[in-house]
Amino acid sequence: MNKEKIQEIFRVVRANNSNVIPEVFSKQIFEYAGVNIPKQEISSTEDEAVYLAKKIGFPVVLKIHSFQIVHKSDAKGVLVGLKSSDEVREGFREIIQNAAIYNKTSDKFQVTVQEMAEPATEIIIGMKRDEIFGPVILFGLGGVWVEVLKDVSLRVLPLTERDVELMFTEIKGTSLLEKFRGNEARDLASLKNLIFQLQNLVLEFPEINEIDLNPVFLYEKGHGNIVVDARIVLNTVSSLYIEEVISIE
Ligand code: ADP
Ligand code: MG
């Protein structure tokens, strides 16, 4: 884990008077923790977006990048499967326009250009620090499984390998992770590894209050996983201050 680089991102976020780390920086932190993420770069102009799309390789995904916008789809700020320079040019303009309608600050919006990951089983992994229990992790299948059926498994950190295996079997949709009919089993070894990478981050950095990986694409056994959206929330500076005061006493 590259701790210095991760702390550097924390400083940039604090310098922007924020504690919610935008997607690209959150994923970058996960990359520094050894996690697989899509290639991603930030563009400020149409020309730059086209240049980056060619460098990354089509098809690409474009997403709004701003400290002001947390739920990018709500701001109509995500476009997937863009296949040409023209589509990227048009997409860039559309996302900037939508952002200006959604968030009427004087912010200069930027757009991230990302490698488009192959579709797969969508997983969500969350973490929140509970006042009483400490860090609690949430695991579930993405989409309707979590949004409609609330099909999730929860555990207090730290986890053992056995805990993680139990989480996989506890959810109602567990058979989607296993071999059934024509479907190959999912890469649960890589998923377990990802959960431990997240746990290491949480144990290493007490200033991380919340993590949301939504979604993670999980491939067939042997093909790993990729985190396509991440959000890390730091504690607020006031609670940092309180911790300092307590440690002085
Ligand atoms: P939001 O902030 O709205 O949650 P996401 O970054 O999760 O935005 O993007 C919305 C959806 O677009 C994701 O759930 C996923 O299905 C798809 N998506 C996002 N990024 C990628 C990517 N790099 N490759 C493939 N699909 C992606
Ligand atoms: Mg998301």
Side-chain angles (χ1 to χ4, degrees):
M1 191 193 305
N2 194 333
K3 293 177 198 166
E4 284 79 34
K5 289 283 188 189
I6 292 174
Q7 266 152 351
E8 217 174 284
I9 296 179
F10 291 172
R11 279 195 291 275
V12 169
V13 173
R14 300 282 195 204
N16 275 277
N17 281 322
S18 183
N19 64 324
V20 182
I21 308 185
E23 182 207 351
V24 251
F25 301 148
S26 294
K27 283 196 301 196
Q28 178 98 66
I29 288 170
F30 272 91
E31 189 173 41
Y32 288 138
V35 169
N36 188 32
I37 63 161
K39 287 180 200 151
Q40 51 170 20
E41 296 207 52
I42 301 171
S43 64
S44 303
T45 64
E46 278 171 47
D47 285 344
E48 208 180 346
V50 168
Y51 166 81
L52 292 172
K54 283 182 185 158
K55 193 171 106 181
I56 288 169
F58 294 103
V60 292
V61 175
L62 296 187
K63 300 189 201 178
I64 185 68
H65 172 64
S66 161
F67 276 96
Q68 311 296 328
I69 298 174
V70 178
H71 301 288
K72 301 174 296 291
S73 298
D74 291 354
K76 299 195 174 73
V78 181
L79 293 172
V80 301
L82 305 183
K83 294 182 292 292
S84 66
S85 299
D86 284 347
E87 285 182 25
V88 168
R89 206 170 277 286
E90 224 167 273
F92 181 98
R93 247 178 268 159
E94 194 179 319
I95 287 178
I96 296 286
Q97 273 169 12
N98 291 343
I101 294 166
Y102 182 80
N103 187 289
K104 294 183 174 58
T105 56
S106 54
D107 246 57
K108 179 98 182 63
F109 296 112
Q110 290 174 301
V111 171
T112 62
V113 184
Q114 303 187 9
E115 178 184 358
M116 172 125 176
E118 291 285 330
T121 306
E122 294 198 7
I123 302 290
I124 70 160
I125 303 171
M127 188 286 299
K128 267 197 179 119
R129 281 186 204 270
D130 181 87
E131 254 176 60
I132 293 164
F133 296 111
V136 176
I137 189 166
L138 173 152
F139 161 79
L141 293 163
V144 291
W145 288 94
V146 59
E147 278 156 33
V148 183
L149 304 171
K150 313 284 181 228
D151 182 23
V152 296
S153 168
L154 291 162
R155 281 281 187 300
V156 174
L157 295 187
L159 302 174
T160 63
E161 292 223 3
R162 180 81 189 122
D163 291 326
V164 179
E165 284 157 13
L166 283 172
M167 289 183 91
F168 292 165
T169 56
E170 254 171 32
I171 54 169
K172 295 188 202 81
T174 186
S175 57
L176 292 186
L177 301 173
E178 293 155 7
K179 190 176 165 71
F180 73 103
R181 289 187 204 137
N183 230 349
E184 283 305 311
R186 303 290 100 187
D187 198 335
L188 293 182
S190 85
L191 186 58
K192 198 194 278 183
N193 195 33
L194 172 62
I195 289 175
F196 283 118
Q197 285 164 322
L198 179 144
Q199 164 159 295
N200 290 342
L201 262 179
V202 173
L203 299 179
E204 182 65 39
F205 297 104
E207 59 266 64
I208 296 180
N209 247 5
E210 212 179 301
I211 296 176
D212 204 359
L213 305 184
N214 184 9
V216 175
F217 285 181
L218 179 61
Y219 297 100
E220 279 177 16
K221 199 168 176 180
H223 292 84
N225 65 65
I226 188 163
V227 173
V228 305
D229 184 24
R231 182 174 77 245
I232 296 175
V233 182
L234 299 176
N235 54 10
T236 52
V237 177
S238 61
S239 66
L240 255 186
Y241 174 68
I242 292 165
E243 269 168 35
E244 243 169 62
V245 172
I246 291 170
S247 66
I248 289 165
E249 277 176 356

